Amino acid sequence: MATRLCWLGHACLLLESDGKHVLIDPFLTGNPAAATTADKVQADFILVSHGHGDHVGDTVAIAQRTGATVVCNYEMSGWFEKQGVKKVHGQQHGGGHHFPFGYVKLTLAFHGSMLPDGSYGGNPAGFLITFKDGTRIYDAADTGLFGDMQLIGAEGIDLATLPIGDNYTMGPDDALRAVKLIGPRQVVPIHYNTWELIAQDAAVWAERVRKETQSEAIVLKPGEWITIKA
Ligand code: NI
Ligand code: MN
């Protein structure tokens, strides 16, 4: 019952564990790097880190098609209900909740969170997910570097997904510092190469991670799966 991760392009991740599909930040329509489409992707739960369009993406359409529960901060949960999403679960930073697939805690993220229609989206979050098989994943989502990543790392991270695109989030240098603070067993770069403004050479970054840390850096192609070492 291994836990698997697929990078679907940009910040969109699909996690599969014990037959459950957990989709994160499903920006597929309009995403030049999208590896699937909103009418095909599987989801039992959809986690949305913040209100920006490149993260909310197709959440409403996918939730309506699949009946998935949307998990996000309290402010956005009310907005999703107004958009017609039937099953919504609101949490807040530092708070965790047990779902059928595992435990999800919202973490800090230094970023913005305005929703696509200009509504207030609360504060942006990352996700610390502990699956039933014990696999623990930290998706930093959109954020700058912050020292408390060390506290998140102290929980013991099997795999971290970190933005490296720069401009809107950490760039390669700060993402490398983040790897040192978190100390994940494996790390996957995200939120780069979607557009020219966030173009980065992930292979070069991965080589720096290998040289300077104990973490295994894995560069995925959009649509590629990996099994996470628990
Ligand atoms: Ni954003
Ligand atoms: Mn973003």
Side-chain angles (χ1 to χ4, degrees):
M1 282 206 316
T3 297
R4 303 196 307 148
L5 174 143
C6 180
W7 183 43
L8 290 172
H10 197 56
C12 183
L13 302 165
L14 180 58
L15 295 154
E16 186 195 55
S17 189
D18 197 16
K20 298 279 191 303
H21 291 88
V22 180
L23 182 64
I24 305 180
D25 289 349
F27 167 53
L28 299 169
T29 304
N31 172 359
T36 187
T37 57
D39 59 349
K40 286 202 190 78
V41 71
Q42 287 177 281
D44 298 299
F45 292 85
I46 306 172
L47 278 51
V48 184
S49 65
H50 65 287
H52 293 162
D54 60 319
H55 298 258
V56 170
D58 300 295
T59 298
V60 174
I62 297 167
Q64 282 170 344
R65 176 176 60 80
T66 60
T69 300
V70 174
V71 179
C72 56
N73 72 25
Y74 177 76
E75 289 82 359
M76 289 199 297
S77 72
W79 186 82
F80 279 119
E81 278 170 353
K82 280 191 205 145
Q83 308 303 307
V85 177
K86 295 274 187 290
K87 291 189 273 178
V88 176
H89 182 91
Q91 296 182 208
Q92 214 50 279
H93 302 74
H97 183 76
H98 287 284
F99 294 95
F101 62 88
Y103 185 74
V104 177
K105 189 155 78 170
L106 299 200
T107 66
L108 296 185
F110 282 99
H111 196 68
S113 184
M114 189 170 69
L115 284 152
D117 63 2
S119 298
Y120 176 62
N123 289 308
F127 297 108
L128 187 60
I129 308 168
T130 307
F131 287 95
K132 287 274 163 82
D133 68 358
T135 303
R136 187 167 289 147
I137 292 173
Y138 170 46
D139 175 28
D142 283 12
T143 187
L145 181 71
F146 55 93
D148 285 357
M149 284 179 174
Q150 197 160 17
L151 292 176
I152 296 167
E155 300 209 26
I157 307 299
D158 294 304
L159 184 142
T161 50
L162 303 179
I164 67 162
D166 218 347
N167 194 76
Y168 300 115
T169 68
M170 293 188 284
D173 292 347
D174 278 357
L176 178 61
R177 296 169 72 194
V179 174
K180 292 173 183 175
L181 288 173
I182 300 159
R185 205 184 304 256
Q186 297 177 306
V187 61
V188 172
I190 60 170
H191 212 279
Y192 69 96
N193 284 4
T194 320
W195 303 285
E196 185 57 34
L197 185 59
I198 56 171
Q200 297 295 342
D201 189 331
V204 167
W205 183 77
E207 197 50 43
R208 292 175 70 193
V209 172
R210 284 181 204 114
K211 281 209 180 92
E212 294 185 39
T213 79
Q214 302 295 313
S215 301
E216 181 191 358
I218 301 167
V219 177
L220 296 176
K221 292 187 194 75
E224 194 177 348
W225 286 91
I226 51 161
T227 297
I228 298 160
K229 281 189 217 159

